[in-house]
Amino acid sequence: MRRDISHAIPMLAVHDAINAIEFYKNVFRADEVTRIVANDGKIEHSEVKVGNARIMIADGFPGYNHTAKSLGGTPVIIYLYVDNVDSVVERAVSSGSTLLRSIHNLPHGDRVGKIEDPFGHVWMVATPLK
């Protein structure tokens, strides 16, 4: 039987994966699916699930990957749908995120806020308007 391979999973390299995983659990109500720890205690690979979206998270490893902080920022924005954008953005900011754009309604029908998490990744958090 062939597995469905028609999906993409973002992989975030961060400077402190253990705390990033806890941040995403708290802010996005993510469930941790898997965690592989290196001998030095760093996270080699982990996955969290937010609704039906999976996100891979790992510590930065020289010669393998770079974190958003080590590069001075990121050109990537993750657009994440949640049930209540207002409460998620409030939790994010109270947990150390920077509010980049306040919550507002977009013409195409989403209510959106833009944040940068404490690990340097940028998120547009959205709830579809009915």
Side-chain angles (χ1 to χ4, degrees), residues 1 3 5 8 15 24 53-55 74 80-81 94 105 120 122:
M1 178 190 277
R3 293 181 70 192
I5 57 171
H15 65 278
Y24 300 135
R54 282 192 185 243
I55 302 165
T74 179
L80 180 68
Y81 282 104
S94 68
N105 297 341
V122 176

Side-chain angles (χ1 to χ4, degrees), residues 52-82:
N52 63 0
R54 282 192 185 243
I55 302 165
M56 295 179 186
I57 303 164
D59 276 300
F61 289 92
Y64 180 71
N65 60 16
H66 298 280
T67 69
K69 292 236 179 204
S70 72
L71 294 173
T74 179
V76 176
I77 298 171
I78 300 169
Y79 201 98
L80 180 68
Y81 282 104
V82 297

Side-chain angles (χ1 to χ4, degrees), residues 18-33:
I18 289 172
N19 282 322
I21 291 165
E22 292 307 312
F23 175 86
Y24 300 135
K25 284 177 171 179
N26 177 51
V27 171
F28 298 136
R29 303 297 193 238
D31 292 316
E32 188 172 351
V33 177

